[in-house]
Amino acid sequence: MHHLIFGSGLIGSYLGSVMTLNSASVAYVARGVWKQRLSQPLQLTDYLGNKGTVDAQHVVDGSMDTLPDVVWLTVKCTALASACEALTDWVGSDTVIVCCQNGISAHAEVKRYFPRHQVLRTMVPFNVVIAGEQHLHKGSEGTLVIEQSADNVLTDSLVNILSHPLLHATSSDNIEAVQWAKLQLNLGNGVNALADIPVKAMLENRYYRKVIAALMSELLTVARARGMQLPKVARLPGSLIPWVLRLPDRVFNIVAKQMLAIDPTVKTSMWWDLHNHKATEREYLYGALVRAGEEVSVPCPVNALLNALIAQVERDNDTASYTPLPAQVMYEKVREVKGRI
């Protein structure tokens, strides 16, 4: 099959490079620094010490002689509308579109643009950062999950083309529950962005952890009200994570040792967005959860608060940096809307 990575950034370039290591036929639609980066050899590493190197890759400037069998749509949620409009020139009648966005609503937006195409959802659990000008580093664990298609052969092929020591992949016939489970983990992204510190340092602070636990508890309440049972996508079942996050620091450092086994410099994509003066995916995370809660009469005041705090930074973010929100200040803001957490 011919694969096209559309909107090649950190995740798209990493996925495409792993496919190339597996001898797949891969092309990219990229621009700016990513177009330049992909035109030269690229090094891949992960937090476990696995390594790989790919040669300069095929970046498409214009039309392709053969339209791709699979398009991997790797833009952020905030760029979905413009990406879908541009994507019409790259999609054939039989092209499968694979959505790699965060949140729980991106797939429906893509499906509105391409109602006759097979659109599959993918959950990408790990973090990729630039460790050097030509060096992509996967800094956290997690197994990529692809939605099970009507054609098992297709799904198996997609899983196989991604499976590599640098990337673990599988499939699921209940991708909606998988995405909700991933959303639970993503709720820490906004806390990290507002804290303006690495994820590891954030998790070592009990005040920040208790805020994240409150966010997650609201999601779990909404999921139960919707009759959803969330699969395990981390080392701990989702229902136990808030309890572990609330533990005192000394106990947490022992019980959650694997949770802290991440690169000490890793920050979330939402942090990168705020620091690069870009719109964040807050509405696809916190906003989507608040709306989902309203549908089943479950209020989510902490998620609404985080959404509002991030929105305020987006409005005011006209300088090179912004004022971080200290842990105890954030904790007290949450207590004002939630009470005891």
Side-chain angles (χ1 to χ4, degrees), residues 285-300:
L285 304 179
Y286 306 101
L289 179 55
V290 170
R291 291 188 293 274
E294 290 171 349
E295 293 173 358
V296 289
S297 301
V298 175
C300 298

Side-chain angles (χ1 to χ4, degrees), residues 123-143:
M123 187 277 285
V124 181
F126 48 77
N127 177 283
V128 178
V129 299
I130 292 287
E133 189 55 37
Q134 293 300 122
H135 181 183
L136 299 182
H137 180 71
K138 181 163 76 77
S140 57
E141 66 178 353
T143 297

Side-chain angles (χ1 to χ4, degrees), residues 1-4 25 64 66-72 90-98 117-118 154 158:
M1 294 190 294
H2 297 286
H3 299 263
L4 179 69
S25 172
M64 299 175 66
T66 303
L67 290 174
D69 300 295
V70 182
V71 168
W72 298 79
W90 305 91
V91 172
S93 58
D94 296 323
T95 300
V96 177
I97 302 172
V98 183
H117 287 76
Q118 184 171 195
L154 169 63
L158 297 179

Side-chain angles (χ1 to χ4, degrees), residues 20-87:
T20 300
L21 290 173
N22 284 333
S23 302
S25 172
V26 184
Y28 298 79
V29 173
R31 62 184 180 181
V33 65
W34 285 104
K35 183 176 180 180
Q36 179 180 356
R37 196 170 273 140
L38 290 163
S39 66
Q40 304 173 55
L42 201 59
Q43 181 184 9
L44 305 183
T45 57
D46 70 9
Y47 71 105
L48 293 173
N50 296 303
K51 299 178 180 179
T53 301
V54 293
D55 294 330
Q57 304 194 58
H58 180 205
V59 179
V60 181
D61 286 322
S63 61
M64 299 175 66
D65 293 335
T66 303
L67 290 174
D69 300 295
V70 182
V71 168
W72 298 79
L73 185 56
T74 59
V75 300
K76 291 190 175 181
C77 294
T78 50
L80 266 182
S82 58
C84 286
E85 290 177 3
L87 193 58

Side-chain angles (χ1 to χ4, degrees), residues 130-271:
I130 292 287
E133 189 55 37
Q134 293 300 122
H135 181 183
L136 299 182
H137 180 71
K138 181 163 76 77
S140 57
E141 66 178 353
T143 297
L144 181 147
V145 183
I146 301 175
E147 180 177 6
Q148 185 74 47
S149 69
D151 179 1
N152 290 336
V153 175
L154 169 63
T155 307
D156 291 345
S157 176
L158 297 179
V159 169
N160 289 338
I161 210 64
L162 285 170
S163 296
H164 188 275
L166 285 159
L167 198 164
H168 297 157
T170 188
S171 63
S172 173
D173 59 3
N174 189 6
I175 196 68
E176 183 177 5
V178 171
Q179 288 191 313
W180 271 78
K182 170 67 185 313
L183 176 59
Q184 179 183 348
L185 303 181
N186 281 150
L187 294 178
N189 289 9
V191 178
N192 179 245
L194 294 170
D196 193 20
I197 57 176
V199 172
K200 189 174 189 296
M202 174 187 73
L203 291 175
E204 290 171 341
N205 187 303
R206 193 184 184 199
Y207 286 114
Y208 284 136
R209 292 201 309 273
K210 291 179 81 170
V211 171
I212 297 170
L215 293 164
M216 290 184 172
S217 293
E218 289 183 350
L219 178 141
L220 292 169
T221 301
V222 174
R224 285 194 296 270
R226 296 174 71 94
M228 298 179 65
Q229 184 171 356
L230 305 188
K232 180 180 174 183
V233 296
R235 288 183 179 269
L236 289 173
S239 59
L240 291 181
I241 295 176
W243 180 82
V244 171
L245 289 173
R246 293 186 178 104
L247 291 171
D249 289 338
R250 182 175 58 83
V251 181
F252 175 81
N253 291 337
I254 297 172
V255 174
K257 186 176 181 180
Q258 290 300 325
M259 195 181 293
L260 295 170
I262 57 177
D263 287 354
T265 60
V266 164
K267 296 176 182 177
T268 64
S269 59
M270 194 169 286
W271 179 91

Side-chain angles (χ1 to χ4, degrees), residues 265-284:
T265 60
V266 164
K267 296 176 182 177
T268 64
S269 59
M270 194 169 286
W271 179 91
W272 285 97
D273 285 338
L274 286 186
H275 274 258
N276 286 285
H277 316 293
K278 295 180 178 179
T280 70
E281 295 180 311
R282 60 182 178 79
E283 278 297 334
Y284 291 85

